[in-house]
Amino acid sequence: MLTDVFTLPQPDKEKQLRDELNALVSHHRRSCPPYARIMDALDVSEEAPTVAELPWLPVRLFKTKKLVSVPEDQVIRVLTSSGTTGAVSRIHLDRAAASTQSRMLARTLATVLGPRRLPMLVVEGRGVVGDRRSYSARGAGALGMVNFGRDHHWLLDADGRPDVEALRAFLDRHGRAPFLIFGFTFMVWSYLYEVACEHGLDLSQGILVHSGGWKKLADRAVDNTEFRRRFGVDTGLTRIHNFYGMVEQIGTVFLEGPEGGSLYCPDFADVIIRDPVTWQEAPVGTPGVIEVLSTLPTSYPGHVLLTEDLGVVHGIDDGNWPGKRFSVLGRLPRAEARGCSDTYQGGTP
């Protein structure tokens, strides 16, 4: 039975995470020699007294180093990130890690989707899912999400264009009861919102889960508030949940609450915003570099990672769900573009 994963007030969460993440530091130190050498170089000799003092790795390290904490013959899947310069992260999963991450993603999304699988509209083409052992970030995201739906309809045809008639048929079958929509943010806008507006389609029963770059939408003066408003006014779609996640912590997503505007951390994960000069934890309301923490990475040392994203914590234990409320403000200057929706080269609607 699925249970809620947005339950712990921040003090309780930090105590629980501190103990579990300290245990993971020890586990990876024993099991991953490159990680052990990094910890030795950092002179990490004791358990961290707080989550903010846990040793972190820069997420970029997974682009240059093979970091694995299980024997090679136990790796069942290798995930790759969506960097655009040829340098990609490679994340190695064994059966136990893959199972745990799938289960916790299901529990996180059940908070907004409910316990039953819904008919699903995927704002992608089938071709995004290729080799079942090695996936791109987009492919891994799509494949991970389709497990939470049924009667799947892939919106884009083989030429990367929206199949409007097939979309009409999907809505005729499923549009009068809740259905799931998944896609990367820019693609959802370009290939679903604009098509729905053009053809007068009713998406009011949909529940949209989306993620990815906002850069191209910023060029169109569309931020998160405008995205939600326009979908509601023009298509009837109001149940919208952005999320923040990355292949380096697959299975962990920071989910937008029902009120919109803020992301929340599930009980098994957290964020710390760090001052880019002092690397100390920044106070509430002060932007900085996002560090992500999760207890899920057991087959590779991705449990405490400094990202290349900027963010800000808006409040703690003061929102619809307990814990930190935060926003992602964008990429660090000169950080490599991650790709995903911003590098999609499909056809135009």
Side-chain angles (χ1 to χ4, degrees):
M1 181 178 178
L2 297 176
T3 55
D4 193 5
V5 296
F6 295 95
T7 66
L8 292 177
Q10 192 63 26
D12 297 341
K13 174 186 289 189
E14 290 192 11
K15 183 178 185 303
Q16 177 175 300
L17 288 179
R18 179 198 64 197
D19 296 342
E20 294 185 19
L21 291 171
N22 271 316
L24 277 177
V25 170
S26 298
H27 160 67
H28 291 303
R29 201 167 188 171
R30 290 191 305 270
S31 306
C32 179
Y35 180 79
R37 289 194 292 272
I38 294 169
M39 293 299 101
D40 291 343
L42 293 174
D43 196 26
V44 175
S45 57
E46 299 179 352
E47 291 191 347
T50 68
V51 292
E53 295 171 85
L54 286 157
W56 44 261
L57 297 182
V59 71
R60 182 175 287 268
L61 198 62
F62 286 91
K63 298 181 186 297
T64 59
K65 302 296 182 184
K66 183 177 180 180
L67 299 171
V68 191
S69 300
V70 295
E72 191 69 31
D73 62 0
Q74 293 183 18
V75 174
I76 65 164
R77 189 170 300 151
V78 180
L79 305 177
T80 59
S81 65
S82 56
T84 59
T85 65
V88 297
S89 297
R90 297 189 181 277
I91 304 303
H92 298 74
L93 301 180
D94 65 356
R95 195 169 303 280
S99 174
T100 298
Q101 292 176 340
S102 294
R103 184 172 69 254
M104 299 313 290
L105 178 60
R107 288 180 58 183
T108 302
L109 293 175
T111 305
V112 297
L113 298 179
R116 299 180 182 276
R117 290 195 302 162
L118 300 174
M120 184 173 184
L121 176 64
V122 188
V123 186
E124 281 284 5
R126 289 184 183 274
V128 76
V129 179
D131 182 354
R132 296 190 69 84
R133 178 175 166 83
S134 179
Y135 295 111
S136 69
R138 264 181 56 206
L143 190 74
M145 285 297 301
V146 297
N147 293 321
F148 307 112
R150 60 179 175 85
D151 299 335
H152 304 90
H153 171 69
W154 299 78
L155 179 60
L156 305 185
D157 63 19
D159 296 320
R161 297 177 182 275
D163 187 335
V164 178
E165 292 311 309
L167 176 57
R168 288 186 190 276
F170 175 88
L171 293 173
D172 286 344
R173 289 196 307 273
H174 302 298
R176 289 177 292 279
F179 61 93
L180 168 61
I181 306 168
F182 168 74
F184 288 99
T185 304
F186 175 71
M187 294 175 68
V188 168
W189 183 265
S190 297
Y191 298 97
L192 180 62
Y193 169 78
E194 292 182 359
V195 169
C197 288
E198 180 182 351
H199 296 276
L201 302 180
D202 179 8
L203 304 177
S204 60
Q205 292 299 309
I207 304 172
L208 171 61
V209 177
H210 71 104
S211 183
W214 287 89
K215 184 168 57 178
K216 289 187 178 180
L217 291 186
D219 295 342
R220 303 184 189 189
V222 177
D223 58 10
N224 190 34
T225 300
E226 183 69 358
F227 182 94
R228 296 172 64 92
R229 186 190 73 81
R230 297 268 292 276
F231 256 109
V233 170
D234 296 334
T235 74
L237 178 63
T238 58
R239 285 172 288 183
I240 299 174
H241 299 275
N242 187 20
F243 74 88
Y244 174 63
M246 60 196 65
V247 71
E248 293 86 359
Q249 280 191 353
I250 197 75
T252 303
V253 295
F254 302 92
L255 192 63
E256 189 175 33
E259 80 284 10
S262 291
L263 300 163
Y264 290 83
C265 309
D267 293 343
F268 54 86
D270 208 355
V271 297
I272 292 172
I273 306 299
R274 293 200 176 274
D275 183 298
V277 176
T278 67
W279 298 114
Q280 297 301 305
E281 185 172 8
V284 171
T286 301
V289 183
I290 300 174
E291 176 185 305
V292 290
L293 308 92
S294 171
T295 62
L296 301 190
T298 54
S299 60
Y300 65 97
H303 50 304
V304 186
L305 300 177
L306 189 73
T307 75
E308 297 175 340
D309 296 319
L310 293 170
V312 61
V313 171
H314 300 296
I316 300 175
D317 291 333
D318 64 350
N320 284 47
W321 298 333
K324 292 179 180 176
R325 294 187 300 109
F326 75 102
S327 292
V328 179
L329 303 178
R331 303 287 286 156
L332 283 170
R334 296 185 300 279
E336 177 189 7
R338 279 195 177 272
C340 294
S341 58
D342 283 346
T343 60
Y344 182 70
Q345 298 297 322
T348 56

